[in-house]
Amino acid sequence: MKKQDEKPREKFFGIDVAKDDSIDYQSIIAQMFMCPNLTPEHAVHYIAMLENDELSVERLLETIDDEMFQTAIYNDNSNEVMYDKLKDWERKFGPMTEADKKYLDKLFGFKASDLKVNKRAASKEKNSPSILKKKNIFQSPKELSDLVKQEFKGQDDTIDKLAVVFYMQYISRKYGIVNPLRSVLLIGKSGIGKSGICDCFERICDFPSTTVNSCHFSPTGYKDPGLSEIIANNIKCKGYTEEQMDYHVLHVEEVDKFARAGEYNSGMMEQIMQFDNRGNYIVCNNGIDLNNGTNQLRRLCTEKWLIILDGAFLGIEDIVRKRMNINKPFGFANNDNNDYNKIDVWKNVKPEDIVSYGFKEELVRRIGCICALNPLTKDTIYEILSEAKGNKLQEYVEFSKYVNIDLSFSNETRMLLAENASHDSFGMGSVNQSLFPIIQPIFYEKCDELNSENKQTIVIDKDFVTQQLKTR
């Protein structure tokens, strides 16, 4: 029996949708097609969520914008990438109609006839995952490390280690195998770049990921959501496919908080250990099945995931010194010649120190690599502010161009900011907090978006910074 209230259907770019005057499906599907990272399976999944009111148009467009930003690193190979995308799309939905082609040409200037064959991708097996068909911008751990070092300074040793870890995960994904290295622990003071470095690796390697703060989940049996529930919700919101979820990166921040004694924190550590077990899975609610109206539940195996843990581990220096029998000098002892100041404590952290800090030995045994980040010195912070791609000063310089200000910072200003930041415990956060009091009076007086003919050149010098920070 035919349903009386069934909506008429229409088709755009091969995807059948319910006709709805409030949603411009043609524009939405066209944008998903133009986004290299969104596969045909993504498109079908997102459209189903829209039709079921599980996803708003605004949230979907934000996701598309985010994906376009994440794939900006592939711009040099966009011709080949879009050729692959078109072939994938047509294998799934059939050839595009002339109306579809004209729409893409009108909105984006996209012409399929201009695309060149990607011979490299054409030689791959037909069943290889579409997510791997993009040409990589790195061919070795060293090349991957060099890309990350463009954005982060002073952490070369840690970046080199993580380059091998993420490259192993990349190779595992490429050939469908399990990475022998399942988990990594990052140790370092707050504000030195632990999360940022991991995010950079995930972006360049194109790994889907979930970042969870240890404060946001609770052990099994408690009222607050557990780690598996938070991850499942994240997967649903981002619309990850099963193909992408095979090699997910789980990043748990501030795990040093688990070290507090008690059953609660012991339960938190046990949740982390579950993700390292072979055969472990989480259940994800994939929404309503359009055919039978039931919930679509999928079991996602986590045995191929890479687990990144990080924390500041305040006070672990004392544990390391005690193990190494290094005592603080008293009285008039020569501090310069004493091992207390000579030894790089962070580089000497060992698994037994993590156990002494309060972690369960069962969890520490599963960690394959411990990376300790260097504390930020004055010289390192100066290097970040001068050379690191996308640093905070550079962000202000780029922003000022939109309000007709040609902004720059003198070398003495960079050194002063670096020196001030090196004396407190906030790391690069100290630079962020210092910048707004410096920039605020300039922008208040000088910003003029419309007066493009009167562009102003402003150099922020040391004297001005000193004066502004005194009145902060």
Side-chain angles (χ1 to χ4, degrees):
M1 182 176 177
K2 188 174 179 180
K3 296 180 181 179
Q4 297 297 324
D5 58 347
E6 185 176 355
K7 292 183 179 180
R9 311 289 294 182
E10 52 188 350
K11 185 175 289 189
F12 299 110
F13 305 96
I15 300 180
D16 189 58
V17 297
K19 190 172 182 179
D20 188 338
D21 293 336
S22 66
I23 300 177
D24 188 353
Y25 279 113
Q26 186 177 25
S27 174
I28 292 172
I29 299 174
Q31 291 180 65
M32 287 195 286
F33 172 79
M34 293 302 298
C35 182
N37 248 12
L38 294 182
T39 65
E41 290 76 17
H42 277 122
V44 173
H45 178 67
Y46 281 137
I47 292 301
M49 291 182 72
L50 275 182
E51 292 185 323
N52 289 320
D53 294 327
E54 297 175 353
L55 181 69
S56 68
V57 173
E58 292 77 13
R59 181 70 185 91
L60 176 54
L61 293 178
E62 287 178 8
T63 300
I64 295 173
D65 288 341
D66 290 343
E67 292 292 345
M68 290 297 287
F69 176 77
Q70 295 290 340
T71 53
I73 56 176
Y74 296 107
N75 282 343
D76 293 340
N77 306 309
S78 58
N79 196 304
E80 294 182 354
V81 171
M82 289 309 298
Y83 178 87
D84 292 338
K85 179 66 177 283
L86 177 62
K87 292 304 175 187
D88 284 345
W89 199 275
E90 291 187 335
R91 274 193 291 268
K92 178 77 174 179
F93 304 117
M96 283 194 181
T97 65
E98 289 300 318
D100 292 336
K101 292 177 181 178
K102 288 180 180 179
Y103 189 83
L104 290 175
D105 185 15
K106 180 180 178 181
L107 258 67
F108 306 106
F110 176 86
K111 295 182 180 179
S113 58
D114 294 339
L115 297 179
K116 298 178 182 178
V117 178
N118 183 352
K119 297 180 181 179
R120 192 171 181 177
S123 65
K124 292 185 178 180
E125 296 180 4
K126 293 181 180 180
N127 294 329
S128 62
S130 59
I131 193 173
L132 300 181
K133 290 185 178 180
K134 295 191 289 289
K135 182 178 178 182
N136 263 318
I137 57 173
F138 62 90
Q139 302 297 327
S140 67
K142 187 178 184 305
E143 291 182 10
L144 175 57
S145 175
D146 290 342
L147 289 169
V148 177
K149 288 176 184 176
Q150 293 178 19
E151 300 186 31
F152 294 90
K153 305 296 180 181
Q155 306 295 349
D156 289 2
D157 290 343
T158 295
I159 291 174
D160 289 344
K161 289 179 182 178
L162 289 177
V164 174
V165 171
F166 277 90
Y167 189 78
M168 290 174 67
Q169 185 72 355
Y170 160 73
I171 291 296
S172 300
R173 179 180 66 177
K174 183 175 182 180
Y175 294 102
I177 60 178
V178 177
N179 187 348
L181 184 65
R182 298 288 315 285
S183 55
V184 178
L185 174 62
L186 299 183
I187 299 175
K189 295 181 178 180
S190 299
I192 62 177
K194 297 186 294 294
S195 297
I197 290 173
C198 288
D199 291 344
C200 187
F201 273 109
E202 292 161 10
R203 169 165 46 86
I204 294 174
C205 296
D206 193 31
F207 284 130
S209 64
T210 296
T211 300
V212 183
N213 192 286
S214 64
C215 300
H216 295 163
F217 65 95
S218 63
T220 304
Y222 284 77
K223 182 178 180 181
D224 294 331
L227 182 57
S228 295
E229 295 175 70
I230 292 176
I231 295 172
N233 289 333
N234 178 74
I235 293 168
K236 181 179 178 181
C237 290
K238 292 189 176 180
Y240 288 137
T241 65
E242 292 187 24
E243 173 187 286
Q244 290 178 306
M245 289 308 303
D246 279 346
Y247 293 91
H248 200 73
V249 176
L250 172 60
H251 183 186
V252 185
E253 299 175 320
E254 299 188 48
V255 295
D256 50 317
K257 291 186 173 64
F258 295 162
R260 292 191 291 264
E263 180 183 347
Y264 186 90
N265 292 289
S266 176
M268 305 272 271
M269 288 187 254
E270 288 175 0
Q271 284 199 68
I272 298 290
M273 288 190 283
Q274 289 179 1
F275 282 85
D276 194 50
N277 293 335
R278 292 293 176 92
N280 183 65
Y281 66 89
I282 62 174
V283 177
C284 183
N285 188 338
N286 209 30
I288 304 298
D289 190 319
L290 296 179
N291 296 320
N292 54 35
T294 60
N295 281 330
Q296 301 179 83
L297 300 178
R298 50 176 176 162
R299 290 158 55 111
L300 301 175
C301 183
T302 65
E303 67 177 19
K304 297 177 183 177
W305 288 18
L306 176 63
I307 303 169
I308 307 290
L309 311 176
D310 80 39
F313 287 84
L314 297 176
I316 199 171
E317 307 100 307
D318 296 333
I319 294 175
V320 176
R321 291 190 181 103
K322 182 178 179 180
R323 173 178 55 81
M324 299 178 69
N325 198 25
I326 301 173
N327 298 316
K328 188 172 183 179
F330 292 96
F332 297 99
N334 189 344
N335 292 347
D336 293 334
N337 295 324
N338 192 281
D339 287 341
Y340 188 90
N341 295 311
K342 283 185 176 181
I343 297 295
D344 186 346
V345 176
W346 292 98
K347 295 301 182 185
N348 283 278
V349 175
K350 292 187 175 181
E352 53 261 43
D353 300 320
I354 307 298
V355 175
S356 298
Y357 194 83
F359 268 57
K360 298 183 72 168
E361 189 173 337
E362 298 93 321
L363 174 57
V364 177
R365 280 203 304 263
R366 297 168 186 244
I367 296 172
C369 176
I370 298 177
C371 299
L373 279 73
N374 299 318
L376 294 180
T377 64
K378 178 180 71 174
D379 292 339
T380 301
I381 298 174
Y382 175 79
E383 185 180 11
I384 293 171
L385 298 178
S386 302
E387 301 178 16
K389 185 183 295 185
N391 68 71
K392 188 60 66 173
L393 298 190
Q394 188 176 350
E395 289 181 6
Y396 274 107
V397 169
E398 292 300 318
F399 178 85
S400 66
K401 294 178 182 178
Y402 292 94
V403 289
N404 299 311
I405 296 175
D406 185 5
L407 187 68
S408 62
F409 296 83
S410 68
N411 288 332
E412 291 79 9
T413 296
R414 291 188 174 92
M415 184 57 73
L416 177 60
L417 291 171
E419 186 173 3
N420 290 343
S422 66
H423 293 321
D424 61 35
S425 59
F426 289 98
M428 289 304 297
S430 174
V431 176
N432 298 341
Q433 294 162 9
S434 298
L435 277 175
F436 185 73
I438 297 169
I439 296 295
Q440 184 267 330
I442 297 175
F443 278 11
Y444 184 80
E445 296 290 343
K446 305 296 184 182
C447 282
D448 189 348
E449 179 187 359
L450 301 179
N451 191 6
S452 58
E453 297 180 357
N454 187 25
K455 192 169 187 178
Q456 303 173 76
T457 300
I458 298 175
V459 179
I460 298 180
D461 58 24
K462 180 180 177 180
D463 293 339
F464 179 78
V465 171
T466 302
Q467 179 184 356
Q468 293 303 120
L469 294 182
K470 282 182 178 178
T471 59
R472 182 170 60 164

